[in-house]
Amino acid sequence: MIGELLIGGLVLLGALFCGLGAFGLFRLPDVYLRSHAATKSATLGVLCVLSGAFLFFFFYMNVASVKLLLAIVFVFITSPVAGHLNGRAAYRSGVPLWKGSVQDDLKPVLEERQEQADSQQK
């Protein structure tokens, strides 16, 4: 009984996080915030669903699925990295920030690097 509730709760929580991520993709104003919503909530949602599936197989089928454990590890590692790289590529290709953004930490660093590169070329 407790195992069923735990598994059901994990799967339901994962579906809720994935749904919130999808809602964020539609409602958030720029690519950077959308990427944040997609990577954070979808990663947590998929991890909860896969954890529920792992527990189901472990408790009810008496199988410790290495494939599910590997899927959990790879999603946990690759999804945030992919979101970061998408945001970085968007920033470097000139996609503007949302007009309500209050801070741009990367702009001064890139300007400083550009000045250093220009001074080295002279």
Side-chain angles (χ1 to χ4, degrees):
M1 178 69 180
I2 293 177
E4 291 174 0
L5 290 175
L6 179 65
I7 292 167
L10 277 173
V11 171
L12 187 63
L13 187 65
L16 180 67
F17 278 123
C18 288
L20 286 173
F23 183 72
L25 285 175
F26 286 115
R27 295 290 298 160
L28 293 174
D30 70 347
V31 68
Y32 308 105
L33 295 172
R34 288 178 185 152
S35 176
H36 180 76
T39 56
K40 302 298 184 215
S41 61
T43 300
L44 190 56
V46 169
L47 290 177
C48 286
V49 170
L50 289 177
S51 297
F54 176 79
L55 290 176
F56 173 78
F57 284 117
F58 186 72
F59 288 139
Y60 296 106
M61 304 290 183
N62 295 323
V63 174
S65 177
V66 177
K67 290 179 185 178
L68 282 172
L69 287 177
L70 286 174
I72 290 169
V73 169
F74 286 135
V75 167
F76 186 71
I77 292 171
T78 59
S79 184
V81 172
H84 172 76
L85 291 176
N86 283 335
R88 184 176 173 146
Y91 189 87
R92 288 182 176 249
S93 65
V95 176
L97 294 170
W98 174 49
K99 63 182 176 188
S101 296
V102 294
Q103 190 170 351
D104 185 1
D105 290 336
L106 194 54
K107 185 176 183 177
V109 174
L110 290 179
E111 287 175 350
E112 181 180 325
R113 285 188 184 172
Q114 185 63 39
E115 290 173 4
Q116 288 174 355
D118 290 343
S119 67
Q120 288 177 357
Q121 289 179 354
K122 292 181 181 178

